Amino acid sequence: MFYHLLKHVLLGPLLRLLFRPRIEGLENIPAEGAAIIAGNHLSFSDHFLMPAILKRRITFLAKAEYFTGPGVKGRLTAFFFRSAGQIPVDRSGKDAGQAALREGLGVLAKGELLGIYPEGTRSHDGRLYKGKVGVAAMALGAGVPVVPCAMVGTFEIQPPGQKIPKIRRVTIRFGEPLEFSRYAGMEGERAVLRAVTDEIMYAVLNLSGQEYVDRYAAEVKAEEEEARKKARRKTR
């Protein structure tokens, strides 16, 4: 109930008023039945802008840190994210991928929309990074279509580190659904998962127009952070 209150009364109308999102390809979202919405991830605002313009409810897999903050603020944040349709996923440890897979398949089994950011983390520089194969495993495991999505302009309104977004118009594009029935029963084959993921990311790239980097975002972030640490040590 609180999800619909946020979407239709409290938060949704405010977001649509402030950011006036241009929406393209909304007809590509299935009117019913399970499907995955796979998009780029440029900003913290992405979590709220896309659900605000969809007619159907969508559930996102979100990092567990949003749900485990200390004190009253942490509890309120966790309540808000759960109410907004977010499911916590622990991204640490060797079982993180399987946990996300189980949660995602559970949402799809109920015939709902599942939102996924295949890059696994927000882009720190506005570029599109290599997708992780979890999105392919879920699509093949559940036998559902994948709708590519591109958020355009959200990096400019709220880049990493900026808490309050700038008020500026954004664009949200949805591409034609991708279906992978030709790979039915092959979700255990790594090469197939990679091929399906790359096809999804190529569709997102065509919608977003971003520069593409054929590496995982988390790896690049870690390397750049290490380089900054070394530079700071040299200047001491």
Side-chain angles (χ1 to χ4, degrees):
M1 181 180 293
F2 191 68
Y3 176 92
H4 293 288
L5 183 63
L6 278 175
K7 180 182 176 73
H8 299 294
V9 180
L10 299 177
L11 188 59
L14 179 62
L15 292 175
R16 292 191 293 271
L17 176 65
L18 292 177
F19 299 102
R20 299 173 294 122
R22 299 182 186 91
I23 307 165
E24 301 174 9
L26 192 60
E27 68 277 4
N28 290 317
I29 304 295
E32 58 184 20
I36 294 172
I37 313 299
N40 58 343
H41 193 15
L42 294 168
S43 166
F44 185 76
S45 300
D46 297 341
H47 289 292
F48 309 105
L49 285 170
M50 188 204 299
I53 58 92
L54 291 179
K55 297 177 181 179
R56 295 180 60 186
R57 174 171 179 150
I58 183 170
T59 299
F60 281 90
L61 302 180
K63 61 182 181 180
E65 290 87 335
Y66 290 149
F67 302 81
T68 57
V72 174
K73 180 180 178 182
R75 290 194 294 272
L76 288 174
T77 300
F79 173 76
F80 178 82
F81 272 93
R82 286 194 175 92
S83 301
Q86 313 284 313
I87 294 178
V89 175
D90 185 355
R91 301 185 301 176
S92 62
K94 62 180 181 180
D95 297 326
Q98 289 302 313
L101 184 62
R102 285 194 301 270
E103 294 288 356
L105 290 174
V107 173
L108 296 171
K110 293 185 287 186
E112 299 177 358
L113 293 180
L114 176 67
I116 298 177
Y117 301 119
E119 292 167 277
T121 185
R122 275 179 285 172
S123 173
H124 62 293
D125 57 10
R127 298 186 293 177
L128 184 69
Y129 285 85
K130 185 177 182 178
K132 296 187 175 182
V133 299
V135 61
M138 292 181 204
L140 299 186
V144 301
V146 178
V147 179
C149 172
M151 308 294 291
V152 181
T154 57
F155 184 84
E156 287 73 20
I157 67 169
Q158 193 179 19
Q162 182 169 318
K163 293 184 177 181
I164 300 176
K166 301 174 184 176
I167 306 304
R168 188 179 300 174
R169 196 169 194 185
V170 301
T171 299
I172 305 174
R173 297 190 181 112
F174 300 98
E176 294 184 4
L178 305 172
E179 67 89 27
F180 301 100
S181 58
R182 62 192 183 278
Y183 296 120
M186 302 173 69
E187 58 267 26
E189 298 187 22
R190 184 75 183 184
V192 170
L193 295 180
R194 184 73 263 161
V196 169
T197 303
D198 287 345
E199 184 174 338
I200 293 168
M201 297 308 293
Y202 184 71
V204 173
L205 177 65
N206 282 337
L207 291 170
S208 71
Q210 293 168 266
E211 178 184 346
Y212 180 72
V213 181
D214 193 27
R215 296 186 61 199
Y216 294 117
E219 293 178 356
V220 175
K221 283 183 183 180
E223 288 180 2
E224 292 182 359
E225 179 58 28
E226 182 61 28
R228 284 192 290 269
K229 289 180 180 178
K230 289 181 178 179
R232 286 195 294 268
R233 287 195 293 267
K234 288 181 179 179
T235 58
R236 290 177 183 173

